[in-house]
Amino acid sequence: MWPLLPALCLLLQFNTYSFQNVSFEVHFEWVYINFTWRSPEEYQEAIRTERYVPQNNQVSGVKAYKNNIYYTLLRSAPGTPVTVGYVPVNSTRNGPLVHPYPSWDMNVGESCTTLQNVEALEIDSTGVMWILDGMRMNDYTHCPPKIVLVDINDNGKVLHSYIVPDELCMAFGGWMNDLVIDEIDGGYAYITDNSYVDPGLSVYSRKLDRGWKLRDRTMYAELFVQGFVVNGIRVERLYNIDGISMSPLTSDCDEERTVYYSSWTGVDIYAISTTILRNESTCLGTDWRRHVRHVGRRQSPSDGMVIDNTGYMYYGDLTRDAISRWNINSNFTTNAAIVYQNSSTVNWADSFGFDQSGYLYANCDDSEYFETQPRPLPVRHNITFRLLRARTGTNSYLYPLRSL
Ligand SMILES: *[C@@H]1O[C@H](CO)[C@@H](O)[C@H](O)[C@H]1NC(C)=O
Ligand SMILES: *[C@@H]1O[C@H](CO)[C@@H](O)[C@H](O)[C@H]1NC(C)=O
Ligand SMILES: *[C@@H]1O[C@H](CO)[C@@H](O)[C@H](O)[C@H]1NC(C)=O
Ligand SMILES: *[C@@H]1O[C@H](CO)[C@@H](O)[C@H](O)[C@H]1NC(C)=O
Ligand SMILES: *[C@@H]1O[C@H](CO)[C@@H](O)[C@H](O)[C@H]1NC(C)=O
Ligand SMILES: *[C@@H]1O[C@H](CO)[C@@H](O)[C@H](O)[C@H]1NC(C)=O
Ligand SMILES: *[C@@H]1O[C@H](CO)[C@@H](O)[C@H](O)[C@H]1NC(C)=O
């Protein structure tokens, strides 16, 4: 068998770089997010006490697993009762209710063991959800940030909770923003920390139950991008390293994969090898910086990005109301291009997720509005959130290449 592997790997390198457009359709849409309350009394009480303020709830991260679409809801304004939830994929398109996940208790509990403020999650190939409870740039919680592992195939049982020390993510001022998972050697998460004070790329080893952090000038906001305009709104925020994606599993040919990252207020994409990221002593030195590679410059800033198992990176093309794509085995400058553009539906494509049967989901969440409007937010009457879906026939970077 072994002599065949190099040939197979070679084949994987030569995907077609075809530029056919990808057709996204609206799968869900919401004016505001509402939940599966336990009783009418609980709902009335939440409205009365403003524990639930409908227009303040924003779905941000999205991932798909089996029959559910999982969401994170960032607590950036008061009245967001749930920070992780799901919607069954076959729900009605118009305003489906969000189920808290793994439970109401894990979302509303007072104790620091419950979920506090979550921006991103990822689901590995065994169905373990890695939850980054690490938005610590506002006053919603004073609990230390943590990474919570939950088994979707065991009723959402909490398997482990790693309390993230201040050196990795500050309890006052840190913001674990996005992650990818590398299932080698017990499992690693590579995490972007968008903090104003201490931005960086953190590595967490599940086996060692320990992490380390890389800091570099490529992980800061790019000043020349400040003031970009989305949907007529000028965005002045300077946010650091945010979007992250990883090259796909290649039929066990190579343990070394590539992690891509870029800043929220930024257009340049950088890459670093996972062999470097996983080596704690290398990361604690300075030499690793020589291995950071500049990949290309996008035509627009982007938020989330994801790579499929054939090597296509999909990312939000924010100022052009579009979703763009680049084949990572090709030259970025010449091959990155818009695959879907629609100013009536693509309004800040924030986060991306593949299901296991060949569909790509994109959560469009109007972030430019939430980032710029003063609180309290007014009640809105227009569609604010859309989940778009396209058939790509591929899976995420976590799965080996196979036809779907
Ligand atoms: C929110 O959902 C509950 C059901 O869980 C329903 O009773 C209530 O009317 C909904 N509220 C709004 C404002 O849609
Ligand atoms: C959605 O799918 C689930 C599981 O396959 C099924 O039990 C349920 O009836 C479906 N609901 C709708 C509205 O089709
Ligand atoms: C980490 O990198 C150093 C320097 O390149 C190397 O000597 C060491 O063997 C590596 N450690 C592991 C666990 O691979
Ligand atoms: C990528 O394309 C740009 C623009 O055509 C060109 O200048 C550059 O040399 C190319 N790089 C590679 C590695 O082919
Ligand atoms: C793909 O979509 C973009 C934006 O809608 C459009 O400019 C381009 O011509 C399309 N390309 C193809 C090959 O259809
Ligand atoms: C853009 O979205 C609108 C609303 O869903 C739809 O009617 C229209 O056909 C879409 N345009 C394209 C080019 O997909
Ligand atoms: C809300 O929707 C209406 C009808 O589609 C449209 O005329 C109006 O411009 C929209 N308002 C905003 C703020 O998008």
Side-chain angles (χ1 to χ4, degrees), residues 249-279:
L249 191 64
T250 56
S251 307
D252 295 358
C253 312
D254 204 350
E255 298 187 342
E256 180 170 23
R257 291 161 77 176
T258 304
V259 164
Y260 300 86
Y261 62 87
S262 65
S263 292
W264 190 92
T265 311
V267 284
D268 288 296
I269 304 180
Y270 294 94
I272 187 165
S273 155
T274 58
T275 308
I276 290 176
L277 294 178
R278 287 198 306 268
N279 187 321

Side-chain angles (χ1 to χ4, degrees), residues 304-343:
M305 49 178 161
V306 71
I307 299 175
D308 73 11
N309 57 352
T310 70
Y312 275 117
M313 177 194 285
Y314 291 84
Y315 56 94
D317 199 324
L318 300 179
T319 60
R320 300 195 290 178
D321 299 330
I323 293 168
S324 289
R325 176 173 86 167
W326 163 57
N327 189 306
I328 61 169
N329 300 308
S330 69
N331 186 334
F332 186 88
T333 316
T334 46
N335 286 286
I338 287 178
V339 289
Y340 186 69
Q341 186 170 39
N342 190 335
S343 59

Side-chain angles (χ1 to χ4, degrees), residues 11-184:
L11 269 175
L12 291 175
Q13 303 289 317
F14 289 94
N15 298 308
T16 49
Y17 302 160
S18 64
F19 274 104
Q20 81 243 33
N21 282 341
V22 178
S23 177
F24 282 88
E25 274 163 26
V26 177
H27 191 72
F28 296 141
E29 59 188 17
W30 288 274
V31 176
Y32 56 85
I33 303 293
N34 190 8
F35 303 94
T36 55
W37 299 91
R38 285 173 287 196
S39 68
E41 293 72 30
E42 184 186 37
Y43 167 72
Q44 294 300 342
E45 174 77 1
I47 290 283
R48 194 181 56 76
T49 58
E50 298 193 342
R51 185 161 75 76
Y52 171 48
V53 180
Q55 70 274 21
N56 285 0
N57 286 258
Q58 184 191 16
V59 281
S60 45
V62 69
K63 291 287 174 272
Y65 187 76
K66 293 189 175 169
N67 294 320
N68 291 333
I69 308 295
Y70 293 90
Y71 277 106
T72 65
L73 292 102
L74 191 65
R75 283 169 164 153
S76 62
T80 307
V82 167
T83 189
V84 175
Y86 74 91
V87 177
V89 67
N90 63 358
S91 304
T92 55
R93 165 175 151 156
N94 252 314
L97 296 176
V98 174
H99 302 243
Y101 192 81
S103 62
W104 269 110
D105 288 345
M106 270 298 278
N107 277 274
V108 299
E110 298 284 311
S111 137
C112 284
T113 60
T114 62
L115 299 172
Q116 302 294 310
N117 202 352
V118 177
E119 166 103 56
L121 57 86
E122 176 61 296
I123 299 162
D124 72 23
S125 68
T126 70
V128 173
M129 178 186 283
W130 300 49
I131 302 172
L132 292 185
D133 183 4
M135 197 306 187
R136 297 296 186 270
M137 300 239 293
N138 62 22
D139 247 355
Y140 178 79
T141 176
H142 293 159
C143 293
K146 58 186 181 294
I147 300 170
V148 183
L149 304 182
V150 163
D151 189 353
I152 296 180
N153 294 316
D154 190 3
N155 261 318
K157 182 181 163 195
V158 176
L159 300 175
H160 184 58
S161 201
Y162 169 68
I163 307 297
V164 181
D166 247 35
E167 309 89 82
L168 253 62
C169 179
M170 299 167 74
F172 296 91
W175 188 349
M176 290 194 291
N177 198 286
D178 206 352
L179 78 161
V180 286
I181 297 171
D182 187 352
E183 293 183 275
I184 195 172

Side-chain angles (χ1 to χ4, degrees), residues 227-235 348 366 368-370 372-373:
F228 62 92
V229 176
V230 179
N231 200 21
I233 296 179
R234 204 178 151 81
V235 183
W348 200 291
D366 225 358
E368 76 285 356
Y369 169 84
F370 285 91
T372 53
Q373 298 312 297

Side-chain angles (χ1 to χ4, degrees), residues 275-276 278-283 287:
T275 308
I276 290 176
R278 287 198 306 268
N279 187 321
E280 184 176 3
S281 57
T282 300
C283 293
D287 222 36

